[in-house]
Amino acid sequence: MENEQRVKKKSWLKVPHTYTIIFAIIFLAGIASYIIPAGEFDRVEDPEGRMLVVDGSYHHIDSNPVSIFEMFTAVPMGLEKGAQIIFYIFLVSGVFGIIRSTGAIEAGVYKGVKALEGREKLLIPLSMILFSVGGFTMGMAEETIIFVPIGVAIARAMGFDAVTGTAMITLGAASGFFGGMLNPFTVGVAQSLADVPLFSGIGFRAVVYIFVLSFAIFYVSRYAFKVKKNPQASVIYEIEQQAKSSVSAIDIPSLTGKHKLVFIVMACGIGFNIYGVFNWDWFLTQLTASFLIMGLIAGLIGGLKPGTIFDSFIDGAKAVTFGALIVGFARAITVVLEQGKIIDTIVYAASETIGHLPHAISAIGMLFIQALLNLFISSGSGQAAATMPIMIPITDLLGLERQVAVLAFQYGDSLTNSIIPTSSALMAYLAVAGIPYEKWIKFIWKMILGWALIACLALIAAVALGIS
């Protein structure tokens, strides 16, 4: 009876489904069109072809309330407006599905981590650096789940605990995701919505990434060796006493010559994309085509048959259906605000509220707004679609570079992914590792505070340096 009551109590605390929240916001936006005065800014085109709001030009116009039926038509309109980004996410994820099917990623990572067995001082930093590369190149998040068991097994074999094994895998990827230099799903999407060059500001992001990763390595290593010295220092000491694991129980796939060729194709493909972005002004269409070529070549070299290649492609695309479609649903919010002629009123009110604050403080405010929204919209690309149309005009009015708004989104989104209970990736790898959520919170909360400080200092620096 007590267990049943506990389950019922937990169900009351359950966070609503992300799409439920999105639909609720769409309807709230529609209702707001009956309440908030309609208004708009004048806009001019700058030399780079971007439409900028004209400061001081806000004026009231006739109201245009949005009907209930129009709230529903906003969804397909939002999907249409976000089509380029949505299909980009689907296709690029399909390509990574092909690459994963070759077995190259698993074999390479397993071999690298296994080779570090017995080298305790190198295991954590090198593992975290390795996974961080996946984080800043292909937005590795859920993909880390399959590596958690090997990480836990090796960590335990070296005298650490399951938290260490999980952290050195997942927080390595999270550090790279935080840096986001070449992440197509967060930085790429946000920059395309902000109408700034793709992957611009890569140098600044790389510097911040080094600080974020270094702090994470220090934090995890400090905890790990504290546990090695005194097992009772583990936040899951009781669990560790009950669960003893052996590395020999894990099946380590071998790294073949085909796998090595797949890695070469990936490196060449990503390098080609970087060159295209910075030298040929490539955008999403060209990047998607290049990714497709890379995936097909990698699949063939990796020994996959044509039918298997496209089965893997579809599987990869299926895996991101939730996140890809949410971009269109989130854009529907903007559609309703635009149809109701109230989006500029909201921007005007927000800019007036924070306009008197120092620019750096305004940027930090954006960061924490994004971090809070991540609790409800855990998809990075979906969050970008929902917030960028509002944040970009605000930055224009405040005289800030649009890159600052992208950084605030990027850091706010990344900051909380490793701690919020609505993150499906977090809850999945904790389940795989057998780590209770509350124990993980006890381990990680100080690191999240450290990352938050780094993010705030980075935004202050970005404002001061005028990063564009």
Side-chain angles (χ1 to χ4, degrees):
M1 186 68 178
E2 184 181 347
N3 289 337
E4 290 180 3
Q5 291 176 344
R6 192 178 299 158
V7 170
K8 288 180 180 179
K9 184 178 180 181
K10 285 184 178 179
S11 67
W12 282 103
L13 297 174
K14 185 178 180 181
V15 177
H17 193 283
T18 302
Y19 280 84
T20 303
I21 295 170
I22 293 292
F23 262 107
I25 297 174
I26 290 172
F27 280 101
L28 285 174
I31 294 170
S33 69
Y34 290 85
I35 302 170
I36 298 176
E40 65 182 13
F41 286 100
D42 294 332
R43 285 173 167 79
V44 296
E45 187 174 336
D46 72 356
E48 297 178 4
R50 301 179 301 184
M51 297 303 296
L52 304 178
V53 296
V54 178
D55 190 12
S57 67
Y58 176 80
H59 56 280
H60 291 291
I61 58 175
D62 294 336
S63 63
N64 186 42
V66 179
S67 68
I68 293 179
F69 186 72
E70 287 174 326
M71 294 179 200
F72 281 97
T73 60
V75 174
M77 290 175 66
L79 288 164
E80 182 180 346
K81 284 178 176 291
Q84 187 181 36
I85 294 171
I86 293 169
F87 285 114
Y88 172 67
I89 293 171
F90 272 127
L91 294 171
V92 172
S93 296
V95 167
F96 286 128
I98 295 172
I99 293 170
R100 281 195 296 270
S101 289
T102 66
I105 295 177
E106 287 86 348
V109 169
Y110 285 154
K111 183 175 178 62
V113 174
K114 185 69 169 63
L116 292 171
E117 186 179 358
R119 300 176 176 88
E120 291 89 344
K121 292 184 178 180
L122 294 177
L123 174 68
I124 294 172
L126 291 183
S127 295
M128 295 183 74
I129 291 170
L130 174 64
F131 280 96
S132 74
V133 174
F136 72 69
T137 56
M138 59 181 183
M140 180 177 278
E142 287 86 353
E143 294 83 357
T144 61
I145 295 169
I146 60 175
F147 301 111
V148 168
I150 185 70
V152 170
I154 291 179
R156 281 174 168 162
M158 293 186 176
F160 303 134
D161 63 357
V163 168
T164 302
T166 303
M168 71 187 191
I169 304 293
T170 61
L171 296 184
S175 298
F177 195 93
F178 202 116
M181 292 83 78
L182 299 171
N183 188 340
F185 305 114
T186 54
V187 174
V189 170
Q191 288 184 327
S192 66
L193 291 169
D195 204 15
V196 299
L198 277 182
F199 306 127
S200 54
I202 189 171
F204 181 83
R205 284 183 171 82
V207 172
V208 176
Y209 154 75
I210 292 171
F211 280 100
V212 168
L213 178 61
S214 298
F215 180 71
I217 290 172
F218 164 77
Y219 189 89
V220 175
S221 298
R222 182 172 176 268
Y223 169 84
F225 285 97
K226 185 178 178 182
V227 169
K228 186 176 179 67
K229 183 178 181 180
N230 177 20
Q232 292 187 354
S234 171
V235 296
I236 55 169
Y237 176 69
E238 295 81 6
I239 295 174
E240 287 298 305
Q241 293 302 104
Q242 298 172 4
K244 298 297 182 181
S245 181
S246 172
V247 181
S248 60
I250 303 295
D251 181 22
I252 309 295
S254 58
L255 184 66
T256 66
K258 288 182 179 180
H259 292 152
K260 293 176 183 178
L261 288 175
V262 169
F263 282 120
I264 292 173
V265 171
M266 286 179 62
C268 291
I270 292 173
F272 192 59
N273 281 348
I274 295 172
Y275 187 86
V277 166
F278 290 106
N279 293 277
W280 299 330
D281 296 323
W282 276 12
F283 202 57
L284 299 184
T285 300
Q286 294 82 4
L287 286 176
T288 303
S290 179
F291 270 117
L292 279 172
I293 294 170
M294 180 182 76
L296 291 174
I297 294 174
L300 291 172
I301 288 177
L304 301 181
K305 295 179 180 179
T308 306
I309 288 176
F310 287 104
D311 282 340
S312 302
F313 176 85
I314 295 301
D315 288 340
K318 282 181 184 177
V320 294
T321 300
F322 179 96
L325 289 182
I326 205 172
V327 172
F329 279 75
R331 288 296 290 269
I333 299 170
T334 307
V335 170
V336 172
L337 295 175
E338 289 175 343
Q339 287 183 336
K341 306 296 183 183
I342 60 173
I343 188 168
D344 281 2
T345 303
I346 293 171
V347 169
Y348 174 73
S351 63
E352 286 293 296
T353 301
I354 65 176
H356 64 284
L357 299 174
H359 285 174
I361 301 300
S362 299
I364 292 172
M366 290 182 189
L367 163 73
F368 286 106
I369 289 172
Q370 296 286 8
L372 178 63
L373 288 173
N374 195 36
L375 181 65
F376 305 104
I377 308 176
S378 57
S379 164
S381 50
Q383 187 177 334
T387 59
M388 284 293 102
I390 294 175
M391 292 299 182
I392 292 304
I394 291 176
T395 58
D396 289 345
L397 287 170
L398 295 178
L400 291 168
E401 294 289 346
R402 291 186 173 190
Q403 193 74 254
V404 172
V406 176
L407 288 169
F409 151 72
Q410 173 193 344
Y411 296 151
D413 172 52
S414 304
L415 182 63
T416 50
N417 279 338
S418 296
I419 196 170
I420 58 173
T422 52
S423 169
S424 57
L426 169 63
M427 302 314 288
Y429 62 65
L430 290 183
V432 169
I435 301 171
Y437 176 69
E438 64 273 14
K439 299 294 185 181
W440 179 258
I441 296 296
K442 185 177 180 181
F443 159 73
I444 204 173
W445 71 271
K446 291 180 182 178
M447 199 198 78
I448 297 298
L449 287 181
W451 273 1
L453 177 60
I454 293 172
C456 290
L457 293 174
L459 285 174
I460 292 172
V463 171
L465 297 172
I467 299 297
S468 62

